[in-house]
Amino acid sequence: MKHRKWQLGVVMAAAGSLFASGAAGADQQGAYIGLVGGVGLLNDTAATVSSGGVATTGTLEFSDGPIGGIVTGYTFANGLRPELEVTYRRNRFDGGGGNVRTASGVASLYYNFSNKGYYFYVGGGGGYANLRAYLDEAGGDTANKAVYSAGTGLGFAATRNLQVGVDYRFTGTFDRPVFTYDVGGAPVDAAFRYRGSVVTIGLRYSFGAIFGGGEGSGVRAGDEDVRVVPVSR
């Protein structure tokens, strides 16, 4: 499971190396907004359960789950692209028994490489996440944690203003969240490390300059129809 998640990032990075010999910077410029949706993969992790001064440790495994959200940002001509991403995801425990739901907001800074309407980017950032771990037999508890994020992606200009791409993120909390449950009238604490990967399909609509308007793309901001007017002599 862990190897498969890391391989996703390696594949994205290898694909991005194809752009290294292309133009650095951005074909597209200006503000944009978009939607993302895909699958979230939480890493299997060691979990510690403690009650009454007695602690036990075991392995907690998760099923892949859906994720969706919105993004907004601004692309500069030099390739820098700050972006705010707000997402919601849900992952069930393997074998059932409960789930973890995550609502997060992450601010990141990416750098775009573009070539003839195609693009690749890399970067990272941080933010804040609200985690809710729900157990079928004991209810749910929440923890609010700071998170980090590293990301990459690639895609192309589908129309003059619409961009379609595949995005990869590796995210996690800086420290372990702790959740408290009431089991038979006794408090029980559960703590585990939260980190994993996200793979999404994204649609981004630009309100600024035209997507794919770089050199060689055949689409440029400010292009107008040219009319030939005959002149009598």
Side-chain angles (χ1 to χ4, degrees):
M1 179 73 74
K2 292 182 181 179
H3 293 302
R4 177 164 62 91
K5 295 171 184 177
W6 279 106
Q7 287 169 356
L8 292 171
V10 172
V11 169
M12 295 289 287
S17 67
L18 297 176
F19 290 81
S21 59
D27 285 344
Q28 67 275 19
Q29 301 167 36
Y32 65 88
I33 191 171
L35 299 173
V36 294
V39 60
L41 309 91
L42 283 181
N43 285 4
D44 300 339
T45 184
T48 301
V49 178
S50 58
S51 180
V54 179
T56 59
T57 301
T59 300
L60 187 59
E61 299 180 352
F62 301 91
S63 299
D64 302 342
I67 181 171
I70 60 174
V71 298
T72 185
Y74 193 96
T75 304
F76 292 94
N78 62 4
L80 289 177
R81 180 168 61 86
E83 181 176 273
L84 176 64
E85 182 178 68
V86 178
T87 59
Y88 179 83
R89 63 189 288 184
R90 176 176 176 175
N91 295 88
R92 290 195 60 82
F93 300 124
D94 268 358
N99 60 72
V100 177
R101 306 173 189 180
T102 308
S104 63
V106 175
S108 298
L109 182 62
Y110 299 112
Y111 188 80
N112 282 12
F113 298 87
S114 56
N115 192 358
K116 298 182 179 180
Y118 294 88
Y119 72 90
F120 165 76
Y121 71 87
V122 64
Y128 191 75
N130 175 266
L131 312 173
R132 179 172 177 80
Y134 180 84
L135 300 177
D136 293 344
E137 302 298 329
D141 191 27
T142 61
N144 299 310
K145 290 292 181 180
V147 296
Y148 59 85
S149 175
T152 184
L154 50 84
F156 64 97
T159 71
R160 291 170 63 89
N161 293 88
L162 184 65
Q163 189 180 46
V164 180
V166 179
D167 304 298
Y168 171 83
R169 304 283 185 270
F170 183 82
T171 62
T173 58
F174 288 97
D175 56 4
R176 299 199 308 170
V178 179
F179 304 94
T180 301
Y181 304 94
D182 186 335
V183 180
V188 176
D189 292 335
F192 58 88
R193 189 171 185 181
Y194 181 95
R195 60 180 182 175
S197 300
V198 170
V199 180
T200 57
I201 301 295
L203 300 175
R204 291 172 173 83
Y205 184 87
S206 173
F207 298 100
I210 299 169
F211 280 115
E215 182 178 352
S217 67
V219 182
R220 294 180 180 272
D223 280 354
E224 299 179 355
D225 293 337
V226 178
R227 296 182 179 181
V228 177
V229 179
V231 178
S232 300
R233 295 187 179 181

